[in-house]
Amino acid sequence: QQETGGAFTYEVLVVDNGSTDSTRGVIKELQATFPVPLRDLYEDRQGKPFALNTGLQHAAGQFLAFTDDDVLPPPTWLTALWRCFRTEQADGVAGRILPRWLAPRPAWLTDPMALRFGALGCLDHGPHRRSTRERHDCRWVGGNLAIRRAVIHQIGHYDPRMGRAQDTEYYKRCIQQGFKVVYEP
């Protein structure tokens, strides 16, 4: 349901990381009527870094956007990322991820910082665009980020030894190489 206004085309890659449910069948069923190319990739080595690297190897685009299976991006998600690459000359873009509570927030979850920086896969650097060129922290999490293919060619793939820290480690490599990361809320 992404609204691009015809400014660009995109494909969707679903990397099945060893699921045991009906994921592959659902994708096969959707492919016939999906509004853009929908590709099914399988990665039998368990772990998000392996799945990410499989996606990186098979994606065709100049810009690669990542989200997770439990994230509901708004219809303007890809357009916001694309615009940020164009207007800000960004090499990477981190986006806001806010919780969508289906029930009241659990009482034990009292630390607002936990929701801002990675707990539950959330990220919130505030309501305004920021850039690492202005020395802002634009750290990302994998549910809402995009990277230029040229960056991946230079810094390589995700390190499978990192486990849950793979997004932070990849962000640090981008910054160390001097790439510009922009936070687009």
Side-chain angles (χ1 to χ4, degrees):
Q1 298 177 349
Q2 292 297 302
E3 299 166 358
T4 67
F8 58 90
T9 60
Y10 66 97
E11 66 177 344
V12 174
L13 278 67
V14 177
V15 181
D16 182 341
N17 196 205
S19 69
T20 58
D21 60 12
S22 60
T23 297
R24 297 193 86 186
V26 169
I27 295 167
K28 294 285 183 221
E29 193 175 300
L30 288 172
Q31 284 175 324
T33 59
F34 210 69
V36 298
L38 174 63
R39 295 173 53 203
D40 174 29
L41 304 171
Y42 187 78
E43 174 54 63
D44 60 352
R45 293 172 294 175
Q46 282 291 302
K48 187 173 177 181
F50 292 114
L52 289 167
N53 289 336
T54 296
L56 292 176
Q57 291 169 350
H58 291 90
Q62 177 185 1
F63 304 102
L64 306 175
F66 303 86
T67 191
D68 290 336
D69 59 356
D70 59 350
V71 174
L72 298 172
T76 56
W77 177 58
L78 290 178
T79 299
L81 294 172
W82 181 80
R83 192 173 300 127
C84 199
F85 279 114
R86 297 291 186 200
T87 62
E88 298 294 320
Q89 303 306 305
D91 296 306
V93 181
R96 182 185 269 178
I97 304 174
L98 301 175
R100 182 172 165 248
W101 301 110
L102 301 177
R105 185 174 83 183
W108 57 264
L109 188 56
T110 59
D111 182 0
M113 294 303 283
L115 291 176
R116 290 191 63 206
F117 299 112
L120 306 176
C122 296
L123 180 75
D124 186 3
H125 290 301
H128 304 291
R129 187 181 282 173
R130 310 161 52 140
S131 168
T132 55
R133 294 284 159 84
E134 285 88 39
R135 304 207 186 284
H136 288 289
D137 177 4
C138 298
R139 181 174 9 158
W140 58 42
V141 296
N144 186 358
L145 73 98
I147 305 170
R148 286 183 187 271
R149 178 176 292 287
V151 171
I152 295 162
H153 286 311
Q154 188 164 335
I155 67 171
H157 287 80
Y158 282 85
D159 186 342
R161 299 171 299 174
M162 290 291 106
R164 291 192 171 275
Q166 78 272 336
D167 295 324
T168 301
E169 189 272 338
Y170 207 75
Y171 171 76
K172 286 180 180 177
R173 275 196 275 159
C174 286
I175 300 307
Q176 289 168 348
Q177 292 287 326
F179 290 111
K180 179 181 181 181
V181 176
V182 173
Y183 166 73
E184 173 56 59

